[in-house]
């Protein structure tokens, strides 16, 4: 550990590590300093200058987010000089901004507006933009850009380039004409954007947002001819409470069920069920691939196999590693599997014409909006999933309908395909798909449960960038003799920057694993681009805790033991990997490359 | 006009990040493409320089001498910075707009001239200054404009 240095903030003494920023010392002292370009997940930018403080012995005010502590300092954050400079810099930022708070999706949750309010911007000292200068970019299925509200804080650039290793944004032009731009002023729909929405989660204003389909969903709910079925993923349930004032990590699954029924959804189903289905298919696919590689020495079959539940990750590999798509599992994501099963098997069970069914998926994710619109996602003969709603959109819909979670009773999911196992639940956290898959695959192969206390495969849990584990397969069942003694090597990465590290090794031929889970978003789906804003490492940890707790409380914690899954195979699909499964539950991918997608 | 990718590859065969010759090469590419940088050209540059397209675009957009819009055969650039502005470059710009019947940044209907503004071109001692293609003109008097333009017509 490096040396500790004393810093005095407005009379409060704290100690921070040498090299820590003055801003972090202020946080430690419990002194709030406003920030706009700073974000706890991102590198320092130091461009907005609203975090100015006075440091004794320094002539000029300093940006606290960028100033490193290397010697004892005395800092003042509330002097008149600081307050004036802060106001002026805020006003400069506001001068660039054109927007109308009433109609803005960030109204009520906008960092710019909050700062203008808290820091007493009372009159404009600079000429302000008073007309829109840009057309909104609404072409993408996932991401909307409203550049008039952009304040050039560059959080989106740092998010996309540094955190996600995707190259969408760049600073364009110079001086007065500077703007944050997509290459050649293209629509974000026409470039390498993977729709992860991480930039949306970190934008301080309404300049970036996700597509909103709630009006169409309301229309369908009210249409007497349509039967609207909701499926909810695990992550929104661990986060939507934040939109209603609960602390991060509050579990509201059953209250949410009640609220959604009151909003008018005809059925409320649990995507964890489809996650279990994914495990059955993906686990089977893994064993088939291993068999072909180990026993048949089939060179055309690719190992390691990567998970394919994260549509952001899928698009990342389609753009950046188009020659390695054979490593992706052919399994659709749980959302899409569910859609296909609902409009076939379930439609028949409940006796409703599938053409009259609309499926809505509540997801933590902006990329799922794109995914459900991919042309190939119509295995049921219809659009398998009609709408992807983000956690934020759902919260807005419930508020619009006057449905507050606090007032709701608790209600269960609807039967037939209602429930998932604990294994399905943990899909929401990084490492969760791997853990769920291993719980099933290990038991399938050896006949024994995984050798971890209470089935918790702790090496793949937590927020470490890349996690690895290996598991020796011993005393295997007869039919898996060929796996006896094999050391099953697995890895887990979250955030596409971490995935890129693994992919580059794959390209070099130095990647030595059998099975790899990748989620495009930091922390996994619980940190998805459709989740409540703000997002910070602490908030993501709290959501993960909620997810793991819920797993432990569910009686059935292995996908293959979910009786509803067993029934689905018996009555409809046959067995995992069957012809029917392939038709409905598996897919293929598109080589996209890094240049413009054709219309 | 279609982009000659072969020519761009030739130009970029000499590219290396160490040499820092990106700017010069881009310039040549722009010339080869008829005074502007079409989409296909930038994509090819991005591939050859192994620089993502957003970065190439950020770079190109920073310098006024590069254009991602079609431009005329000759580019007229009027300096708009302080010293020149004081000595009448704005009036010069007005005259040119009238004479060529275009707005600032536009190209004449016959694709012959594009009129642009530029930041200081280092000829402040002879302001007002302007450039046509690579030629610099200092102390430009309004009455000399026509004879200058004639050379390019
Ligand atoms: S971005 Fe913020 S300040 Fe701007 S219109 Fe939206 S809510 Fe208002
Ligand atoms: S789009 Fe948002 S995050 Fe990006 S620079 Fe503008 S205000 Fe900042
Ligand atoms: S959604 Fe993801 S990939 Fe697309 S611009 Fe934002 S951060 Fe980049
Ligand atoms: S928050 Fe420090 S400069 Fe923007
Ligand atoms: S200001 Fe015009 S050339 Fe320098």
């Amino acid at each position: 550990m490096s040396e500790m240095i004393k810093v005095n903030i407005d009379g409060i003494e704290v100690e921070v590590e040498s090299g820590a920023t003055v801003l972090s010392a202020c946080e430690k002292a419990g002194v709030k300093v406003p920030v706009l370009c700073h974000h706890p997940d991102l590198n320092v930018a130091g461009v907005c200058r609203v975090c100015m403080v006075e440091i004794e012995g320094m002539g000029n005010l300093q940006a606290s987010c960028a100033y490193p502590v290397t010697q004892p300092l005395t800092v003042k954050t509330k002097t008149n000089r600081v307050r004036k400079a802060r106001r002026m810099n805020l006003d400069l930022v506001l001068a660039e901004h054109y927007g109308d708070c009433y109609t803005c999706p960030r109204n009520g949750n906008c960092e710019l507006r909050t700062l203008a309010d808290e820091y007493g911007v009372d009159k404009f000292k600079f000429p302000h933009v008073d007309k829109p200068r840009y057309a909104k970019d609404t072409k993408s299925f996932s991401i909307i850009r409203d550049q008039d509200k952009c304040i050039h804080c560059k959080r989106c650039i740092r998010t996309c380039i540094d955190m996600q290793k995707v190259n969408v944004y760049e600073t364009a032009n110079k001086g007065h004409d500077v703007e944050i731009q997509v290459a050649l002023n293209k629509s974000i729909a026409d470039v390498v954007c993977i729709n992860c929405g991480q930039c949306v989660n970190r934008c301080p204003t309404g300049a970036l947002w996700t597509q909103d389909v709630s009006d169409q969903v309301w229309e369908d709910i009210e249409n007497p001819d349509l039967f609207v079925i909701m499926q909810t993923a695990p992550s929104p349930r661990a986060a939507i409470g934040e939109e209603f004032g609960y602390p991060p990590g509050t579990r509201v699954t059953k209250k949410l069920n009640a609220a959604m029924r009151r909003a008018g959804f005809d059925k409320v189903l649990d995507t964890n069920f489809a996650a279990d289905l994914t495990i059955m298919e993906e686990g089977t696919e893994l064993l088939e691939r291993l068999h072909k590689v180990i026993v048949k020495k089939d060179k055309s079959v690719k190992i390691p196999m990567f998970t394919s539940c994260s549509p952001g990750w899928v698009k990342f590999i389609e753009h950046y590693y188009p020659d390695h798509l054979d490593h992706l599992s052919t399994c659709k994501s749980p959302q899409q599997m569910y859609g296909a099963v609902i409009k076939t098997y379930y439609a028949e069970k409940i006796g409703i014409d599938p053409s009259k069914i609309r499926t809505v998926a509540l997801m933590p994710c902006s990329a799922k909006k794109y995914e459900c619109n991919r042309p190939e996602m119509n295995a049921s003969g219809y659009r398998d999933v009609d709408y992807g709603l983000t956690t934020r959109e759902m919260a807005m819909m419930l508020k619009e309908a006057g449905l507050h979670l606090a007032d709701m009773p608790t209600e269960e999911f609807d039967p037939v395909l209602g429930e998932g196992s604990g294994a399905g639940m943990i899909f929401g956290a990084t490492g969760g798909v791997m853990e769920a898959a291993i719980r099933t695959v290990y038991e399938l192969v050896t006949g024994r449960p995984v050798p971890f206390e209470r089935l918790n495969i702790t090496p793949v849990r937590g927020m470490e960038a890349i996690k690895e584990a290996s598991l020796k397969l011993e005393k295997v069942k007869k039919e898996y003799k060929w796996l006896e003694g094999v050391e099953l090597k697995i890895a887990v990465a979250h955030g596409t920057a971490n995935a890129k590290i693994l992919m580059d090794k794959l390209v070099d031929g130095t990647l030595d694993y059998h099975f790899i889970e990748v989620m495009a978003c930091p922390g996994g789906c619980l940190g998805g681009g459709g989740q409540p804003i703000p997002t910070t490492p602490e908030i993501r940890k709290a959501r993960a805790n909620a997810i793991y707790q819920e797993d432990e409380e569910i009686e059935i914690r292995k996908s293959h033991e979910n009786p509803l899954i067993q029934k689905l195979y018996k009555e409809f699909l046959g067995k995992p990997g069957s012809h029917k499964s392939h038709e409905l539950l598996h897919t293929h991918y598109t080589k996209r490359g890094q240049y413009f997608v054709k219309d | 006009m279609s982009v000659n990718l072969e020519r761009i590859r030739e130009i970029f065969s000499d590219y290396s990040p160490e040499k820092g010759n990106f700017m010069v090469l881009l310039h040549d590419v722009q010339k080869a493409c008829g005074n502007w940088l079409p989409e296909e050209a930038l994509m090819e540059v991005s591939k050859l320089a192994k620089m993502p397209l957003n970065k190439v675009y950020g770079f190109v957009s920073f310098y006024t001498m590069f254009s991602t819009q079609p431009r005329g055969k000759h580019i007229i650039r009027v300096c708009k910075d302080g010293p020149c502005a004081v000595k009448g470059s704005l009036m010069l710009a007005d005259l040119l707009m009238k004479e060529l019947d275009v707005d600032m940044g536009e190209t004449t209907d016959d694709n012959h001239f594009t009129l642009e503004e530029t930041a200081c071109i280092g000829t402040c001692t002879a302001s007002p200054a302007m450039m046509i293609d690579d030629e610099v003109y200092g102390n430009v008097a309004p009455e000399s404009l026509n004879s200058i333009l004639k050379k390019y017509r």
Side-chain angles (χ1 to χ4, degrees):
Chain A
M1 203 165 115
S2 54
E3 184 197 354
M4 298 300 283
I5 300 181
K6 277 203 172 67
V7 187
N8 183 306
I9 314 272
D10 296 339
I12 302 166
E13 289 271 349
V14 289
E15 285 198 346
V16 295
E17 269 180 47
S18 171
T21 62
V22 168
L23 180 66
S24 70
C26 294
E27 278 161 10
K28 207 163 174 188
V31 171
K32 196 182 159 216
V33 173
V35 297
L36 263 181
C37 66
H38 169 83
H39 190 283
D41 287 326
L42 304 174
N43 300 331
V44 174
V47 291
C48 75
R49 321 298 288 177
V50 304
C51 65
M52 305 294 263
V53 295
E54 211 172 304
I55 299 178
E56 205 173 88
M58 306 277 307
N60 294 330
L61 297 181
Q62 299 295 327
S64 61
C65 73
Y67 197 92
V69 178
T70 52
Q71 62 190 64
L73 298 174
T74 303
V75 177
K76 296 209 169 72
T77 75
K78 298 182 175 59
T79 62
N80 277 335
R81 192 167 159 226
V82 168
R83 287 192 310 105
K84 275 189 192 142
R86 190 183 278 166
R87 247 189 228 191
M88 185 171 93
N89 289 342
L90 256 177
D91 194 28
L92 277 170
V93 170
L94 281 165
E96 291 288 319
H97 171 275
Y98 172 82
D100 168 6
C101 301
Y102 301 116
T103 58
C104 181
R106 291 297 295 273
N107 191 7
N109 181 15
C110 169
E111 293 181 46
L112 180 62
R113 195 182 167 178
T114 307
L115 288 189
D117 176 29
E118 286 179 0
Y119 293 93
V121 173
D122 48 0
K123 56 178 176 293
F124 292 145
K125 292 173 202 71
F126 304 101
H128 275 244
V129 185
D130 56 2
K131 295 193 237 3
R133 294 153 292 178
Y134 301 95
K136 266 198 204 180
D137 177 11
T138 57
K139 185 177 172 195
S140 159
F141 283 119
S142 297
I143 311 293
I144 295 178
R145 295 177 72 222
D146 184 353
Q147 270 184 276
D148 278 311
K149 293 174 184 158
C150 173
I151 54 166
H152 307 156
C153 71
K154 302 195 187 183
R155 282 192 195 170
C156 54
I157 300 188
R158 286 172 285 151
T159 302
C160 193
I161 298 184
D162 301 341
M163 237 181 80
Q164 294 297 69
K165 290 278 187 270
V166 179
N167 279 287
V168 170
Y169 304 113
E170 190 48 277
T171 313
N173 308 331
K174 64 176 167 224
H176 197 67
D177 300 324
V178 158
E179 55 188 29
I180 307 304
Q181 202 43 282
V182 173
L184 286 157
N185 288 353
K186 288 272 164 180
S187 161
I188 201 161
D190 296 334
V191 294
V192 288
C193 172
I194 64 169
N195 303 312
C196 65
Q198 292 304 310
C199 53
V200 177
N201 283 7
R202 286 170 186 76
C203 177
T205 72
L208 295 174
W209 198 241
T210 30
Q211 278 289 8
D212 182 348
V213 293
S214 57
D215 281 343
Q216 285 118 286
V217 174
W218 282 127
E219 292 287 328
D220 287 358
I221 286 178
E222 204 159 290
N223 185 334
D225 295 333
L226 295 178
F227 195 82
V228 186
I229 302 178
M230 166 56 87
Q231 53 157 311
T232 79
S235 290
R237 286 139 48 175
I240 198 167
E242 293 163 38
E243 296 276 353
F244 292 88
Y246 291 100
T250 308
R251 290 154 47 196
V252 294
T253 308
K254 293 184 177 175
K255 282 175 173 288
L256 182 61
N257 288 348
M260 290 191 298
R261 285 207 183 93
R262 281 161 182 69
F265 290 99
D266 294 302
K267 295 272 180 210
V268 178
L269 304 179
D270 184 355
T271 309
N272 295 355
F273 167 85
D276 286 335
L277 190 54
T278 305
I279 290 301
M280 299 308 290
E281 292 296 323
E282 208 163 59
T284 306
E285 184 184 354
L286 176 67
L287 289 170
E288 271 170 14
R289 283 194 192 220
L290 289 174
H291 186 254
K292 284 183 187 146
V293 169
I294 296 174
V295 180
K296 303 219 169 122
K297 312 269 181 246
D298 183 344
K299 287 262 178 340
S300 71
V301 173
K302 296 287 189 271
I303 289 286
M305 181 175 90
F306 286 89
T307 58
S308 54
C309 331
S310 162
W313 152 241
V314 166
K315 196 152 180 271
F316 181 84
I317 177 166
E318 287 179 331
H319 279 302
Y320 286 99
Y321 300 93
D323 296 333
H324 295 85
L325 291 176
D326 291 347
H327 285 270
L328 271 183
S329 159
T330 58
C331 288
K332 289 180 185 171
S333 70
Q335 161 180 293
Q336 294 304 129
M337 285 197 181
Y338 218 171
V341 172
I342 288 173
K343 291 202 179 175
T344 51
Y345 173 79
Y346 187 70
E348 210 184 301
K349 280 270 160 196
I350 57 173
I352 298 208
D353 174 358
S355 72
K356 300 277 189 296
I357 293 181
R358 293 291 175 274
T359 49
V360 186
L362 170 58
M363 291 287 145
C365 182
S366 44
K368 297 249 167 220
K369 288 174 176 288
Y370 174 84
E371 182 187 35
C372 73
N373 283 296
R374 287 176 75 121
E376 65 274 20
M377 293 295 175
N378 56 357
S380 60
Y382 307 91
R383 208 70 324 245
D384 294 335
V385 173
D386 294 286
Y387 306 107
L389 284 180
T390 64
T391 310
R392 295 189 295 261
E393 261 169 303
M394 188 75 239
M396 200 185 68
M397 286 180 74
L398 295 181
K399 286 179 190 168
E400 212 180 336
L403 296 163
H404 285 265
L405 289 181
D407 311 333
M408 292 297 129
T410 56
E411 288 181 13
E412 301 298 326
F413 289 102
D414 280 296
V416 187
L417 295 184
E419 260 155 79
S421 71
M425 182 68 202
I426 57 177
F427 262 56
T430 165
V433 177
M434 182 56 76
E435 179 164 348
I438 296 303
R439 281 184 196 169
T440 287
V441 168
Y442 187 89
E443 193 161 327
L444 227 59
V445 171
T446 65
R448 301 182 304 275
V450 282
F452 288 91
E453 206 192 325
R454 299 202 313 281
L455 304 177
N456 296 342
I457 309 183
T458 43
V460 296
R461 294 190 179 186
M463 297 297 174
E464 216 181 303
I466 295 174
K467 293 163 281 191
E468 317 173 285
S470 67
L471 210 64
K472 193 147 192 172
L473 300 173
E474 281 169 319
K475 295 199 227 108
V476 299
K477 289 205 270 188
K478 255 206 324 295
E479 57 271 38
Y480 291 106
K481 232 178 32 235
W482 50 277
L483 276 173
E484 181 64 42
V486 168
E487 182 108 6
L488 189 66
K489 292 188 199 146
I490 55 180
V492 172
H494 58 126
T496 40
N498 295 325
K500 183 173 188 296
I501 297 173
L502 296 176
M503 286 312 290
D504 287 341
K505 282 193 182 160
L506 178 71
V507 173
D508 289 349
T510 57
L511 191 68
D512 183 23
Y513 299 103
H514 298 105
F515 187 27
I516 299 178
E517 175 203 296
V518 177
M519 292 293 150
C521 296
C525 306
L526 57 87
Q531 291 280 66
I533 298 173
T535 182
T536 65
E538 292 72 38
I539 291 175
R540 294 194 293 273
K541 263 184 222 138
R543 292 176 188 160
N545 285 341
I547 285 174
Y548 285 117
Q549 270 171 25
E550 197 152 325
D551 164 37
E552 292 228 30
E553 283 170 19
I554 297 173
E555 203 181 317
I556 297 165
R557 297 185 59 215
K558 303 170 203 155
S559 301
H560 58 281
E561 287 179 356
N562 182 344
L564 299 171
I565 289 283
Q566 293 165 351
K567 190 164 158 215
L568 175 69
Y569 277 110
K570 201 160 139 237
E571 291 183 1
F572 185 62
L573 292 170
K575 57 184 193 0
S578 71
H579 184 68
K580 186 134 201 171
S581 294
H582 269 275
E583 256 175 12
L584 288 176
L585 310 179
H586 291 252
T587 186
H588 56 270
Y589 306 105
T590 308
K591 290 187 179 198
R592 292 182 203 275
Q594 291 179 43
Y595 298 96
F596 301 129
V597 187
K598 303 236 162 34
D599 279 341
Chain B
M1 109 170 223
S2 74
V3 175
N4 184 343
L5 295 180
E6 209 36 63
R7 175 79 191 107
I8 298 179
R9 279 178 215 137
E10 236 170 76
I11 295 172
F12 260 80
S13 59
D14 190 33
Y15 171 72
S16 82
E18 295 78 48
K19 279 193 209 147
N21 51 357
F22 192 62
M23 179 98 158
V24 184
L25 297 185
L26 260 186
H27 217 92
D28 291 346
V29 173
Q30 172 158 284
K31 252 191 212 150
C33 296
N35 257 332
W36 69 295
L37 291 163
E39 211 171 289
E40 296 78 19
L42 289 180
M43 283 193 227
E44 194 61 23
V45 166
S46 157
K47 279 180 211 159
L48 296 168
K50 296 198 170 56
M51 188 192 277
L53 197 60
N54 60 333
K55 299 249 163 85
V56 173
Y57 179 69
F59 186 95
V60 163
S61 71
F62 189 84
Y63 298 98
T64 42
M65 65 201 174
F66 295 126
S67 172
T68 53
Q69 300 301 321
R71 292 196 290 192
K73 192 156 166 222
H74 301 289
I75 317 284
I76 306 173
R77 296 188 177 88
V78 185
C79 173
K80 57 156 192 188
D81 272 354
C84 286
V86 171
K87 295 291 255 326
S89 70
L90 300 182
M91 187 181 67
L92 216 57
D94 274 343
L95 283 174
L96 281 164
M97 290 196 269
K98 241 181 241 142
E99 171 65 30
L100 301 173
D101 195 21
V102 291
D103 265 342
M104 202 37 90
E106 287 182 355
T107 301
T108 55
D109 287 341
D110 61 0
N111 279 329
H112 204 73
F113 289 111
T114 299
L115 181 61
E116 292 181 351
E117 288 175 339
T118 172
C120 176
I121 49 175
T123 317
C124 321
T125 48
S127 45
M130 68 176 197
M131 279 176 92
I132 301 186
D133 301 334
D134 296 332
E135 194 81 29
V136 176
Y137 295 87
N139 293 320
V140 186
E143 45 291 357
S144 63
L145 264 186
N146 266 324
S147 61
I148 296 177
L149 287 183
K150 216 190 236 145
K151 289 199 262 178
Y152 298 88
R153 293 225 197 239

